[in-house]
Amino acid sequence: QVQLVESGGGLVQPGGSLRLSCAASGSIFTLNTMGWYRQAPGNRRELVAGITSDGTTNYADSVKGRSTISRDNAKSTVYLQMNSLKPEDTAVYYCKANIWSGGAYPLDYWGQGTQVTVSS
C-alpha cells in the first residue's frame, strides 16, 4: 500500500509564494517520476511540473520561470516552490508519483490534493 500526502497549500496574495510538499510512504521499492498537477473549477487536470528520478525537470509554460520542482529521495518527498503567484494559479494541486512496489510493473499514485488560492 502506498500513500501520498500533500501539504503547504493555502491562501496567498498575488505576487506571493508557496511551497508545496508531497511525501510518499508505504511499500516503495523504486520511486520514479514525480510530478505536480492542478485542476481549477471547470478545467481539466493539467501538468504543472515533473521531475524524474535523476532530477530532470519539466514545466508547463504557464509556470516556467516562477516555479521550481525538487525532490528528496531519502525522504521520498517532492516539492514545488511557487513564486510570483497569480490569481490564475488558483486550483487544487495534486501530487503524482510512479512507484514500483515489487509487483509486475510500477503504478501511478495520486495524493488527495491541496487547495491553493491566490487572491487579495
Side-chain angles (χ1 to χ4, degrees):
Q1 190 78 350
V2 172
Q3 189 175 20
L4 301 182
V5 178
E6 298 128 335
S7 60
L11 173 65
V12 62
Q13 292 187 339
S17 298
L18 277 178
R19 188 192 195 210
L20 307 182
S21 300
C22 172
S25 62
S27 180
I28 300 172
F29 284 36
T30 305
L31 188 58
N32 299 316
T33 297
M34 304 183 78
W36 288 96
Y37 291 72
R38 67 186 181 186
Q39 187 168 19
N43 291 358
R44 299 173 63 178
R45 190 172 297 187
E46 62 177 3
L47 173 70
V48 177
I51 183 167
T52 65
S53 57
D54 65 358
T56 302
T57 58
N58 66 291
Y59 297 91
D61 287 343
S62 57
V63 303
K64 200 172 292 184
R66 301 188 294 120
S67 297
T68 302
I69 189 170
S70 60
R71 61 191 284 167
D72 184 335
N73 290 328
K75 296 181 179 180
S76 299
T77 299
V78 63
Y79 306 95
L80 182 67
Q81 176 69 42
M82 299 188 293
N83 302 320
S84 302
L85 282 162
K86 305 175 182 179
E88 50 263 44
D89 293 317
T90 296
V92 178
Y93 284 70
Y94 296 91
C95 169
K96 178 180 145 181
N98 183 263
I99 296 171
W100 182 59
S101 299
Y105 42 81
L107 298 174
D108 286 335
Y109 295 87
W110 290 88
Q112 80 286 356
T114 185
Q115 177 71 45
V116 171
T117 302
V118 184
S119 175
S120 54

